[in-house]
Coordinates of all heavy atoms in Angstrom, one line a residue:
L1 N 77.7 -105.8 66.1 CA 77.6 -106.5 64.9 C 76.4 -105.9 64.1 O 75.4 -105.6 64.6 CB 77.3 -108.0 65.2 CG 77.3 -109.0 64.0 CD1 78.6 -109.0 63.3 CD2 76.8 -110.4 64.4
A2 N 76.6 -105.8 62.8 CA 75.6 -105.2 61.9 C 74.3 -105.8 62.0 O 74.1 -107.0 61.9 CB 76.1 -105.2 60.5
S3 N 73.2 -104.9 62.1 CA 71.9 -105.4 62.0 C 71.6 -106.1 60.7 O 70.8 -107.0 60.6 CB 70.9 -104.2 62.2 OG 71.1 -103.6 63.4
F4 N 72.2 -105.6 59.6 CA 71.9 -106.0 58.3 C 73.1 -106.5 57.5 O 74.2 -106.2 57.8 CB 71.2 -104.9 57.4 CG 70.1 -104.2 58.1 CD1 70.0 -102.8 58.3 CD2 69.0 -105.0 58.6 CE1 68.9 -102.2 58.9 CE2 67.9 -104.4 59.2 CZ 67.9 -103.0 59.4
E5 N 72.9 -107.4 56.6 CA 74.0 -107.8 55.7 C 74.6 -106.6 55.1 O 73.9 -105.6 54.7 CB 73.4 -108.7 54.6 CG 72.9 -110.0 55.0 CD 72.1 -110.8 53.9 OE1 71.8 -110.2 52.9 OE2 71.9 -112.0 54.1
G6 N 75.9 -106.6 55.0 CA 76.6 -105.3 54.6 C 76.5 -105.0 53.1 O 76.5 -105.8 52.3
S7 N 76.4 -103.7 52.9 CA 76.5 -103.1 51.5 C 77.9 -102.4 51.4 O 78.4 -101.9 52.4 CB 75.4 -102.2 51.3 OG 74.1 -102.8 51.5
I8 N 78.4 -102.3 50.2 CA 79.6 -101.5 50.0 C 79.2 -100.3 49.1 O 78.7 -100.5 48.0 CB 80.7 -102.3 49.4 CG1 81.2 -103.4 50.3 CG2 81.9 -101.4 49.0 CD1 82.3 -104.3 49.8
N9 N 79.4 -99.1 49.6 CA 79.0 -97.9 48.8 C 80.0 -97.5 47.8 O 81.1 -98.1 47.7 CB 78.6 -96.8 49.8 CG 79.8 -96.3 50.6 OD1 81.0 -96.5 50.3 ND2 79.5 -95.6 51.7
I10 N 79.8 -96.4 47.1 CA 80.7 -96.0 46.1 C 82.0 -95.5 46.6 O 83.0 -95.4 45.8 CB 80.0 -94.9 45.2 CG1 79.6 -93.7 46.0 CG2 78.8 -95.4 44.4 CD1 79.1 -92.5 45.2
E11 N 82.1 -95.1 47.9 CA 83.3 -94.8 48.5 C 84.1 -96.0 49.0 O 85.2 -95.8 49.5 CB 83.1 -93.8 49.7 CG 82.7 -92.4 49.3 CD 81.2 -92.3 49.1 OE1 80.4 -93.2 49.6 OE2 80.7 -91.4 48.5
G12 N 83.6 -97.2 48.8 CA 84.3 -98.4 49.2 C 84.1 -98.7 50.6 O 84.9 -99.5 51.2
M13 N 83.1 -98.2 51.3 CA 82.9 -98.5 52.7 C 81.8 -99.6 52.9 O 80.8 -99.6 52.3 CB 82.4 -97.2 53.4 CG 83.3 -96.0 53.2 SD 82.5 -94.4 53.7 CE 82.5 -94.6 55.5
L14 N 82.1 -100.5 53.8 CA 81.2 -101.5 54.2 C 80.2 -100.8 55.2 O 80.6 -100.3 56.3 CB 81.8 -102.7 54.9 CG 80.9 -103.9 55.3 CD1 80.2 -104.5 54.1 CD2 81.7 -104.9 56.0
I15 N 78.9 -100.8 54.9 CA 77.9 -100.2 55.7 C 76.8 -101.1 56.0 O 76.5 -102.1 55.4 CB 77.4 -98.9 55.0 CG1 76.8 -99.2 53.7 CG2 78.5 -97.9 54.9 CD1 76.1 -98.0 53.0
S16 N 76.0 -100.7 57.1 CA 74.9 -101.5 57.5 C 73.7 -100.5 57.6 O 73.6 -99.7 58.5 CB 75.1 -102.2 58.9 OG 73.9 -102.7 59.4
T17 N 72.8 -100.6 56.6 CA 71.7 -99.7 56.6 C 70.5 -100.3 55.9 O 70.7 -101.3 55.2 CB 72.1 -98.3 56.0 OG1 71.0 -97.4 56.2 CG2 72.4 -98.4 54.5
A18 N 69.3 -99.7 56.0 CA 68.2 -100.3 55.4 C 68.0 -99.9 53.9 O 68.7 -98.9 53.5 CB 66.9 -99.9 56.2
S19 N 67.2 -100.7 53.2 CA 66.9 -100.4 51.8 C 68.1 -100.4 50.9 O 68.2 -99.6 50.0 CB 66.2 -99.0 51.7 OG 65.0 -99.1 52.5
Q20 N 69.0 -101.3 51.2 CA 70.2 -101.5 50.3 C 70.3 -102.9 49.8 O 69.8 -103.8 50.5 CB 71.5 -101.1 51.1 CG 71.6 -99.7 51.6 CD 71.7 -98.7 50.5 OE1 72.5 -98.9 49.6 NE2 70.9 -97.6 50.5
T21 N 70.9 -103.1 48.7 CA 71.3 -104.4 48.2 C 72.6 -104.8 48.8 O 73.6 -104.1 48.7 CB 71.4 -104.4 46.6 OG1 70.2 -104.0 46.0 CG2 71.8 -105.8 46.1
S22 N 72.6 -105.9 49.6 CA 73.8 -106.3 50.3 C 74.8 -106.8 49.3 O 74.6 -107.3 48.2 CB 73.5 -107.5 51.3 OG 72.9 -108.6 50.6
A23 N 76.1 -106.5 49.6 CA 77.2 -106.7 48.7 C 77.5 -108.2 48.6 O 77.3 -109.0 49.5 CB 78.4 -106.0 49.2
A24 N 78.1 -108.6 47.4 CA 78.5 -110.0 47.2 C 79.6 -109.9 46.1 O 80.0 -108.8 45.7 CB 77.4 -110.8 46.7
S25 N 80.1 -111.1 45.7 CA 81.1 -111.2 44.7 C 82.4 -110.3 45.0 O 83.0 -109.7 44.2 CB 80.6 -110.7 43.3 OG 79.5 -111.6 42.9
K26 N 82.7 -110.3 46.3 CA 83.9 -109.7 46.9 C 84.7 -110.7 47.7 O 84.1 -111.6 48.3 CB 83.6 -108.5 47.8 CG 82.7 -107.4 47.2 CD 83.5 -106.6 46.2 CE 82.7 -105.4 45.7 NZ 83.5 -104.6 44.7
T27 N 86.0 -110.6 47.7 CA 86.8 -111.5 48.5 C 86.7 -111.1 50.0 O 86.2 -110.0 50.3 CB 88.2 -111.5 48.1 OG1 88.8 -110.2 48.4 CG2 88.4 -111.9 46.7
M28 N 87.0 -112.1 50.8 CA 87.1 -111.8 52.3 C 87.9 -110.5 52.6 O 87.5 -109.6 53.3 CB 87.6 -113.0 53.0 CG 87.6 -112.8 54.5 SD 88.1 -114.4 55.3 CE 88.0 -113.9 57.0
A29 N 89.1 -110.5 51.9 CA 90.0 -109.3 52.2 C 89.4 -108.0 51.7 O 89.5 -107.0 52.4 CB 91.3 -109.6 51.4
E30 N 88.6 -108.0 50.6 CA 87.9 -106.8 50.2 C 86.9 -106.4 51.2 O 86.7 -105.2 51.4 CB 87.3 -107.1 48.8 CG 88.3 -107.1 47.7 CD 87.7 -107.5 46.3 OE1 86.9 -108.4 46.3 OE2 88.0 -106.8 45.3
F31 N 86.1 -107.3 51.8 CA 85.2 -106.9 52.8 C 85.8 -106.4 54.0 O 85.4 -105.4 54.6 CB 84.3 -108.1 53.2 CG 83.1 -108.4 52.3 CD1 83.1 -109.5 51.5 CD2 82.0 -107.5 52.3 CE1 82.0 -109.7 50.6 CE2 80.9 -107.8 51.5 CZ 80.9 -108.9 50.7
V32 N 86.9 -107.0 54.5 CA 87.7 -106.5 55.6 C 88.2 -105.1 55.4 O 88.1 -104.2 56.2 CB 88.8 -107.4 56.0 CG1 89.7 -106.8 57.1 CG2 88.2 -108.8 56.5
T33 N 88.8 -104.9 54.2 CA 89.3 -103.5 53.8 C 88.2 -102.5 53.9 O 88.4 -101.4 54.4 CB 90.0 -103.6 52.5 OG1 91.1 -104.5 52.5 CG2 90.4 -102.2 52.0

C-alpha cells in the first residue's frame, strides 16, 4: 500500500512519491485506471 496519498502524473499514472501534490477531483474509476 502506498506510503503517500497518490499523485497522477502527466502520463496518467497513479504514483506514490514525495514532494508531490496528491491527486483529487477524479472519479474512483479514473484512480483505478
Side-chain angles (χ1 to χ4, degrees):
L1 186 63
S3 297
F4 307 128
E5 296 170 342
S7 303
I8 297 180
N9 63 17
I10 58 174
E11 288 84 19
M13 304 168 71
L14 183 63
I15 59 174
S16 172
T17 189
S19 300
Q20 298 292 315
T21 300
S22 58
S25 300
K26 303 285 185 182
T27 65
M28 184 176 181
E30 288 176 313
F31 275 110
V32 171
T33 297

